[in-house]
Amino acid sequence: MRSTPRTLVLSLVLFLLANPAKVAAIDFAAATSYPVGTSPQAIVVGDFNGDGKPDIAVANAASSNVSILLGNGDGTFQAARDFSAGNSPSSIAVGDFNGDGKLDLAVFQGGVSVGILLGNGDGSFQSPKLLSLSSTASFITVADFNPDRKSDLAVLDRVSGAEMLDIFIGNGDGTFQPAKQTPIPEGSAAFATADFNGDSKPDLALAAVGGVRILLGNGDGTFSQGVTVTVGNARRTLSPESVVTADLNHDGKADLIISSLRIVGCGGPIPCSTTYTGISTFLGNGDGTFQGEQIAASAIFSFRAGAPSQGGKIRDPIVGDFNGDGKLDLAYRVIPGLGVSIFSPSLQFLLGKGDGTFSQPVLGVSTNSKPLAEDVNVDKLTDLISIGTANNINVQLNTSPTSGSDLGVFSAGSSPEPVGIGRNLTFTAEVRNLGPHDATGATFTDTLPNKVNFVSATSAQGTCVQSQGIVSCSIGALPSAFDSKVSIVVTPTVAGAITNSMNVSANEPDPVSANNTVTQTADVVPVFTLTVTKTGNGAGTVTSNQGASGGINCGSVCSASYFDGSTVILNESPDTNSVLAGWSGGCTGTGTCAVTMTADQSVTANFVLGEKLSISVAGGGSGSVTSTDGAINCTNTSGNCSSLYAPGTFVSLTATPAGTSSFTGWSGACTGTNPSVCTVNLNSAEAVTATFNPSDFSIVPSTSTFTTQAGMQVMDALTLTEQGGFSGQVNLNCTVIGPPPLAVCSLSPSSVTIGASPGTSTLTISAPSTLAAFPLHPNDGSNAMRAFVAPFFVLLLGGIGLLSYASRRQRRTLCYLAGSVVVLAVLAGCGATTPAPPTQKSYTVTVNAVSASGSLQHSTTVVLTVQ
């Protein structure tokens, strides 16, 4: 069986829970149950009939009364007597509200009122006098705040959205003056009263968000602000849940015991959280201030939806002398998570050392609610009173021995576990005195296992010697609740299970001997050595996981010891110019080296200077180049574009285009256009370039200009050709621009699929059947002038010649002609119009080609002239 300090502590706690009466001097009798009213909520203890014997009062919510159980003085109680207490009492406190020396009761009725039951001094009580409260009142306590020897009330309340402390000063007849209000911090949850600054005026310790606020009493029911006591540190501050006051170190100054928590969400998609809880003590300085925090106990509780909760919470601290040594001890409730179902809610005890510090937990007592700690049988041992589960209360009398010294061996263990032959094995233990009396002549002995060599033995108190396999440590005086740690080192010489036995004794009788002896069993296994050697012209380091004596880090540490059967993982780290060419010896290959240690092993790492393979990506496209070994993953924008390889290594590369790009070829150490065919033999540094070009297409007409007549058609063959590996569908459309009436265009087909082979489409252009009429042009003033002047020159030149030779009749005809010319000229000069000569028209036809995805678009134009 393997045993470590952690597992031994856990086992011991389980043993304590199952066998509380057999392992420690703190012991409790079986609970005695007493029936009370319906749904009991709170318990107080006091001498209600003046016979000097503690009695019990219980507030019962469902039956709206108080049950009084008069004590017989021996820890037993008479049957309960019930007295009306108003509506649904939830808490109860003891005081003397009319100053007659007879104990009275204040019963809080859940945000409605406080009922004051004046005691008759014989264990009976008068009908309650009601003090009305607001519906937001939440907590009460009793003290003489003014002080006039008449009990007053303190109530937590909320007024107009603000937290308030209401102090009701008693009139001495069970009635009270109007509340004196003091603002308090938001989130105030509970408080306790004590005289923290030694002025004999009651002060308050208020548990609130951010810490415990100290309110110093002015003696009239008002308060001044004191210090704030914070729990935790800057990294993790805890919020106080409750506060208890006591004089833990018997110096006459009130100290604080604070229960606190912090809940931290894990931030995951599944609901989960971690709850930190703790019990802390702060020793008072007597002036209203306190010393630093001492953590008495802490716990972690983990919750994750759908899984058992882990760990536990601690809360509800109580104070008492549980082992009868005259020193105040501390107890608190432990509430385990569902994943620790072997535990039930229990009460753990820390024995006080009398200086405000405590021992480790020594006992667990099952409890389902927070108990009240009181010495009900007046034997100087604190007993427990708790609310039961069936309208009853339970009384557990403390039956711890009142003489002798209960010494025990705790936290015993061995390390490391397992341990290798020839390696140091350390046995540790804590010798603790559980009281009630101080121990003298305490002696610790350890009977060592066979087949071990003794190395050393030390004790935190006293000295140790070894003789014939038995170690004796003279601890000497060990006060109650104190401990002394012992450490013994040996070296096992053979494999197998070994058993070590420890024992403690003292001069005083030991009331519980079951915890005096503890044994440990440790496994001793063979140990083998792994040695690493480095060869080659390169450099690098080799590391491993931890073994029996550390791990390998070669460089400097090139051998280490490992247990039989363990697996050692060797990892190589070449320097920047080297690579691992391979392992040899205990493992082979170039990957991670795993060695199973069933004997001494050696492994050689061959580091060689590497040859560099460099990759580049060219072209206007995009893509990546990868190697089959995963070392290369290069793109034109990022990635690993180089790697070292052992000389002679063959590296295969693959080019992968991205998006609409295509691979167009290798260059450098590889050539060709196959993206999957590139293998480089690295006998020297090599470089490879992969070119990626964007995929595209072109559109080209067979003729770009046409001339035709009105009403005629022309046709043009369009050729669409892939570029850079484009393949897919292209959609076509055309538009015409020109003077009216417009020519008309069409495409057949209007969708073309291209790839390795070009695609074609026919563009047909139809000229308009008629052209628009040309307008007549009016003559301007210059035409008129020319028409008026020109005939005279004609008549002058012609007349001179004709008149010279014409006859009389001919001259008459000539005159008629000349006159007609003049008339026409005059008409022309006065604005007559003439038609312009006919002209041709031009049209521009644009063909648009768009890829089916819409990512690529090209166009071409054709010009048509119509005569």
Side-chain angles (χ1 to χ4, degrees):
M1 176 180 118
R2 297 183 178 181
S3 175
T4 65
R6 180 178 179 181
T7 57
L8 280 172
V9 169
L10 178 59
S11 300
L12 181 60
V13 171
L14 293 174
F15 184 69
L16 288 172
L17 290 175
N19 304 276
K22 298 180 180 179
V23 297
I26 301 177
D27 194 11
F28 291 86
T32 301
S33 179
Y34 295 91
V36 292
T38 307
S39 186
Q41 298 294 307
I43 304 171
V44 291
V45 171
D47 183 6
F48 301 123
N49 60 355
D51 63 355
K53 303 170 184 177
D55 309 313
I56 298 175
V58 183
N60 307 302
S63 54
S64 297
N65 57 17
V66 170
S67 296
I68 302 297
L69 294 83
L70 297 178
N72 297 317
D74 58 358
T76 64
F77 295 85
Q78 301 174 27
R81 297 174 61 192
D82 297 331
F83 300 91
S84 176
N87 185 41
S88 301
S90 59
S91 63
I92 189 170
V94 176
D96 182 4
F97 296 103
N98 56 358
D100 63 355
K102 303 170 184 176
L103 291 184
D104 309 316
L105 295 174
V107 182
F108 180 59
Q109 298 174 2
V112 177
S113 61
V114 173
I116 302 298
L117 283 69
L118 297 177
N120 296 317
D122 59 357
S124 64
F125 292 85
Q126 301 173 26
S127 297
K129 295 184 177 182
L130 297 182
L131 170 66
S132 295
L133 301 176
S134 72
S135 60
T136 56
S138 60
F139 193 83
I140 66 168
T141 193
V142 173
D144 184 7
F145 292 108
N146 51 341
D148 60 356
R149 297 186 180 182
K150 301 167 187 176
S151 295
D152 310 312
L153 286 178
V155 179
L156 289 184
D157 201 356
R158 177 177 287 272
V159 179
S160 300
E163 298 278 359
M164 287 289 176
L165 172 66
D166 292 342
I167 301 296
F168 294 92
I169 299 297
N171 294 318
D173 58 357
T175 64
F176 299 89
Q177 302 174 22
K180 295 184 177 182
Q181 293 185 328
T182 300
I184 56 177
E186 191 72 20
S188 299
F191 49 54
T193 59
D195 180 10
F196 297 118
N197 59 356
D199 63 355
S200 300
K201 302 170 185 177
D203 309 313
L204 284 173
L206 181 67
V209 174
V212 172
R213 310 295 177 92
I214 303 301
L215 302 179
L216 299 176
N218 296 320
D220 59 356
T222 63
F223 297 86
S224 59
Q225 294 292 332
V227 300
T228 297
V229 178
T230 58
V231 182
N233 50 41
R235 185 177 64 88
R236 181 179 294 127
T237 301
L238 278 69
S239 297
E241 276 191 304
S242 64
V243 57
V244 177
T245 64
D247 184 6
L248 298 176
N249 56 353
H250 300 284
D251 63 352
K253 303 169 186 176
D255 309 315
L256 297 176
I257 303 98
I258 301 173
S259 172
S260 55
L261 66 76
R262 179 184 178 92
I263 301 176
V264 180
C266 62
I270 299 175
C272 52
S273 63
T274 300
T275 301
Y276 301 89
T277 51
I279 308 293
S280 302
T281 63
F282 296 82
L283 298 180
N285 295 317
D287 59 357
T289 65
F290 298 85
Q291 300 176 27
E293 178 184 16
Q294 299 183 65
I295 299 175
S298 61
I300 299 176
F301 174 80
S302 299
F303 164 79
R304 185 177 181 86
S309 53
Q310 301 295 323
K313 305 175 185 178
I314 58 176
R315 62 188 309 175
D316 299 331
I318 58 175
V319 177
D321 184 3
F322 298 107
N323 65 344
D325 64 354
K327 306 169 186 176
L328 287 180
D329 308 314
L330 183 61
Y332 51 86
R333 283 208 304 151
V334 178
I335 305 172
L338 296 178
V340 198
S341 57
I342 191 169
F343 291 111
S344 60
S346 61
L347 198 67
Q348 297 288 326
F349 294 88
L350 305 177
L351 299 181
K353 297 180 179 180
D355 59 358
T357 64
F358 300 89
S359 70
Q360 295 297 314
V362 294
L363 179 65
V365 175
S366 295
T367 180
N368 290 317
S369 61
K370 178 183 178 180
L372 183 68
E374 293 285 348
D375 182 7
V376 296
N377 57 355
V378 199
D379 62 353
K380 298 183 180 179
L381 291 171
T382 302
D383 310 304
L384 301 175
I385 311 169
S386 60
I387 295 174
T389 59
N391 299 322
N392 65 309
I393 64 168
N394 295 317
V395 177
Q396 290 180 272
L397 295 181
N398 191 329
T399 59
S400 302
T402 57
S403 63
S405 300
D406 178 20
L407 267 63
V409 180
F410 298 88
S411 303
S414 58
S415 179
E417 176 63 26
V419 64
I421 297 174
R423 305 291 172 178
N424 282 349
L425 173 65
T426 302
F427 296 112
T428 57
E430 180 182 289
V431 177
R432 189 181 308 159
N433 181 8
L434 303 182
H437 295 160
D438 296 344
T440 60
T443 301
F444 172 86
T445 60
D446 188 309
T447 303
L448 299 176
N450 294 326
K451 299 179 181 179
V452 299
N453 292 326
F454 173 77
V455 177
S456 65
T458 57
S459 174
Q461 182 174 318
T463 59
C464 300
V465 295
Q466 185 270 149
S467 176
Q468 297 182 348
I470 297 177
V471 176
S472 298
C473 298
S474 300
I475 296 175
L478 193 64
S480 174
F482 279 75
D483 57 61
S484 178
K485 293 179 173 58
V486 179
S487 175
I488 300 171
V489 182
V490 298
T491 302
T493 58
V494 297
I498 60 175
T499 300
N500 185 65
S501 179
M502 299 175 173
N503 180 268
V504 65
S505 61
N507 295 333
E508 290 73 23
D510 195 318
V512 181
S513 60
N515 58 15
N516 290 33
T517 301
V518 174
T519 61
Q520 305 93 39
T521 300
D523 289 339
V524 182
V525 296
V527 175
F528 299 109
T529 300
L530 174 62
T531 302
V532 172
T533 304
K534 297 189 298 181
T535 62
N537 61 355
T541 59
V542 178
T543 58
S544 76
N545 49 308
Q546 293 295 305
S549 59
I552 289 173
N553 189 353
C554 183
S556 55
V557 180
C558 293
S559 66
S561 298
Y562 295 88
F563 295 133
D564 181 23
S566 60
T567 298
V568 183
I569 304 298
L570 294 177
N571 299 290
E572 90 289 353
S573 298
D575 71 6
T576 56
N577 298 314
S578 304
V579 295
L580 176 71
W583 302 99
S584 60
C587 56
T588 58
T590 57
T592 299
C593 173
V595 183
T596 300
M597 300 300 295
T598 56
D600 291 340
Q601 300 271 18
S602 62
V603 173
T604 299
N606 184 19
F607 291 104
V608 297
L609 292 175
E611 301 295 349
K612 187 176 184 180
L613 174 59
S614 300
I615 306 298
S616 59
V617 176
S622 60
S624 63
V625 178
T626 57
S627 61
T628 53
D629 64 352
I632 300 289
N633 188 352
C634 180
T635 71
N636 51 355
T637 57
S638 62
N640 183 16
C641 294
S642 66
S643 182
L644 286 178
Y645 291 92
T649 301
F650 287 86
V651 181
S652 295
L653 302 173
T654 300
T656 304
T660 60
S661 299
S662 62
F663 174 73
T664 57
W666 301 101
S667 59
C670 285
T671 58
T673 59
N674 191 330
S676 301
V677 178
C678 177
T679 300
V680 183
N681 184 5
L682 286 166
N683 288 310
S684 61
E686 299 285 1
V688 174
T689 299
T691 301
F692 297 94
N693 286 316
S695 297
D696 208 344
F697 65 88
S698 64
I699 178 170
V700 179
S702 60
T703 304
S704 59
T705 60
F706 291 93
T707 301
T708 189
Q709 300 296 320
M712 303 298 289
Q713 288 185 336
V714 296
M715 290 184 290
D716 196 3
L718 304 173
T719 302
L720 290 87
T721 306
E722 66 84 19
Q723 293 178 344
F726 177 85
S727 177
Q729 179 179 307
V730 176
N731 299 318
L732 304 171
N733 63 76
C734 63
T735 58
V736 180
I737 299 174
L742 284 175
V744 177
C745 68
S746 63
L747 293 158
S748 180
S750 61
S751 180
V752 179
T753 300
I754 62 175
S757 299
T760 60
S761 180
T762 299
L763 170 65
T764 301
I765 309 172
S766 300
S769 58
T770 60
L771 299 179
F774 295 106
L776 295 175
H777 299 286
N779 288 326
D780 56 15
S782 62
N783 290 338
M785 181 63 69
R786 287 192 296 272
F788 181 78
V789 175
F792 290 99
F793 285 100
V794 173
L795 291 175
L796 177 61
L797 294 176
I800 294 174
L802 290 175
L803 290 176
S804 302
Y805 302 98
S807 63
R808 182 183 181 99
R809 186 175 182 178
Q810 289 173 325
R811 286 195 296 270
R812 186 184 301 116
T813 302
L814 182 60
C815 288
Y816 286 127
L817 292 172
S820 299
V821 170
V822 171
V823 171
L824 292 173
V826 171
L827 292 174
C830 292
T833 60
T834 59
T839 185
Q840 62 186 17
K841 291 189 176 182
S842 294
Y843 300 90
T844 300
V845 181
T846 302
V847 179
N848 294 308
V850 183
S851 64
S853 66
S855 60
L856 299 174
Q857 180 174 340
H858 296 285
S859 63
T860 187
T861 58
V862 174
V863 176
L864 173 67
T865 301
V866 180
Q867 294 181 344

